[in-house]
């Protein structure tokens, strides 16, 4: 049986690597994206993966999109909540709009998508939900009170959702990536990036594929006894 997988923010960066890995493992992947039509078309053309555009911060849009996917392809078995944005500033300079936008996409987006997918997973007694957090949601970071709050919230959200799904065959886990070599980090000055890498025990940034391998495992049948966990993939940067 082919599992249906939805990956939010699934056409670029870590999300692209996750979509490709799940496809490689025989999943039928639908990659969500939020804004860059040209990049999404190029990704779909290159990979053959179906792409769908909707705003994960819009509750009704998530419900409608998932209903359309299930009507066309069948029940959604796997949900990877990967969509995320940054709007960095110190709290002295951060606007409410910068705070609200990050919370809306990074955290509320997880709720919206889980709300759309969890009920049918529960009915079928099988489901895999993986929420992508961050090392900065575990340890904090200057200039990211919005992002760190959202990602920290994901870890608590995951544990509570896991409790609700455990007895009905639905697992919920989180992955907390460290600094991964993606477009999102391209705005960080080289001298700052060098200092960050110095704090990573393995001495390098991670690769998107290393996160994707973790997601693939947590969404497999082999991970049925793992729920409510956070898998930290950060090169040893933050340990607890």
């Amino acid at each position: 049986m082919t599992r249906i997988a939805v990956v939010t923010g699934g056409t670029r960066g870590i999300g692209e690597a996750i979509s490709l890995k799940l496809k490689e493992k025989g999943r039928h992947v639908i990659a969500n994206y939020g804004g860059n039509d040209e990049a999404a078309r190029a990704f779909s053309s290159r990979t053959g993966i179906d792409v769908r555009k909707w705003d994960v911060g819009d509750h009704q849009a998530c419900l409608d999109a998932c209903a359309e996917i299930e009507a066309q392809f069948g029940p959604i078995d796997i949900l990877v909540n990967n969509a995320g944005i940054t709007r960095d500033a110190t709290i002295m300079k951060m606007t409410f709009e910068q705070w609200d936008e990050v919370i809306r996409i990074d955290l509320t987006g997880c709720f919206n998508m889980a709300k759309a997918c969890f009920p049918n997973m529960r009915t079928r007694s099988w489901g895999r939900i993986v929420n992508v957090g961050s090392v900065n949601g575990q340890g904090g970071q200057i200039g990211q009170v919005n992002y760190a709050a959202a990602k920290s919230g994901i870890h608590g959200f995951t544990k509570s959702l896991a409790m609700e799904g455990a007895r009905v065959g639905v697992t919920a886990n989180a992955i907390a990536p460290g600094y991964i070599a993606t477009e999102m980090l391209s705005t960080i000055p080289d001298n700052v990036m060098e200092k960050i890498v110095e704090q990573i025990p393995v001495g390098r940034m991670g690769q998107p594929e290393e996160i994707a391998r973790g997601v693939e495992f947590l969404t497999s049948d082999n991970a049925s006894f793992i729920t409510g966990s956070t898998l930290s993939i950060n090169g040893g940067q933050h340990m607890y």
Side-chain angles (χ1 to χ4, degrees):
M1 178 179 64
T2 301
R3 300 287 189 190
I4 307 299
V6 172
V7 182
T8 68
T11 65
R12 301 163 67 187
I14 291 173
E16 176 178 356
I18 293 169
S19 294
L20 289 171
K21 175 58 71 174
L22 294 181
K23 181 186 178 184
E24 176 189 316
K25 294 299 181 178
R27 282 35 171 173
H28 182 103
V29 178
I30 296 92
N32 152 268
Y33 73 102
N36 193 325
D37 295 323
E38 183 178 351
R41 284 194 296 268
F43 167 81
S44 184
S45 177
R46 185 175 71 253
T47 65
I49 292 174
D50 188 18
V51 297
R52 300 294 176 94
K53 182 179 182 179
W54 74 85
D55 176 5
V56 298
D58 182 326
H59 185 72
Q60 191 61 50
C62 292
L63 297 178
D64 292 344
C66 290
E68 289 176 8
I69 289 169
E70 296 208 336
Q72 183 174 355
F73 300 110
I76 295 170
D77 303 294
I78 296 166
L79 168 64
V80 182
N81 281 314
N82 168 73
I85 62 171
T86 57
R87 298 291 184 266
D88 295 351
T90 62
I91 197 165
M92 293 294 291
K93 297 179 179 179
M94 184 176 291
T95 64
F96 175 77
E97 288 72 24
Q98 288 173 309
W99 165 270
D100 190 56
E101 191 174 5
V102 170
I103 297 297
R104 178 179 175 274
I105 298 297
D106 294 28
L107 181 56
T108 303
C110 289
F111 169 82
N112 290 341
M113 289 302 298
K115 188 72 173 177
C117 297
F118 184 85
N120 284 343
M121 290 179 177
R122 177 187 174 95
T123 298
R124 297 190 310 277
S125 299
W126 201 97
R128 297 286 185 268
I129 298 174
V130 177
N131 303 310
V132 179
S134 170
V135 64
N136 290 344
Q138 297 172 312
Q141 182 59 271
I142 293 172
Q144 286 196 326
V145 294
N146 49 4
Y147 184 79
K151 294 300 186 178
S152 181
I154 283 174
H155 297 304
F157 171 81
T158 299
K159 292 179 186 299
S160 297
L161 185 60
M163 291 179 179
E164 296 186 20
R167 292 192 178 277
V168 291
V170 182
T171 68
N173 292 287
I175 283 186
Y179 283 83
I180 307 300
T182 66
E183 183 181 343
M184 184 176 282
L185 297 186
S186 63
T187 58
I188 299 177
D190 290 343
N191 63 321
V192 175
M193 201 68 246
E194 288 173 4
K195 292 179 181 178
I196 290 172
V197 172
E198 287 174 0
Q199 299 171 11
I200 303 174
V202 302
R204 65 173 177 85
M205 289 192 294
Q207 295 299 315
E209 294 74 19
E210 293 176 295
I211 307 304
R213 287 194 289 270
V215 172
E216 189 279 320
F217 171 68
L218 290 175
T219 58
S220 71
D221 289 325
N222 293 329
S224 61
F225 199 58
I226 303 172
T227 195
S229 294
T230 295
L231 176 58
S232 295
I233 306 178
N234 60 35
Q237 183 181 359
H238 182 77
M239 306 181 192
Y240 78 95

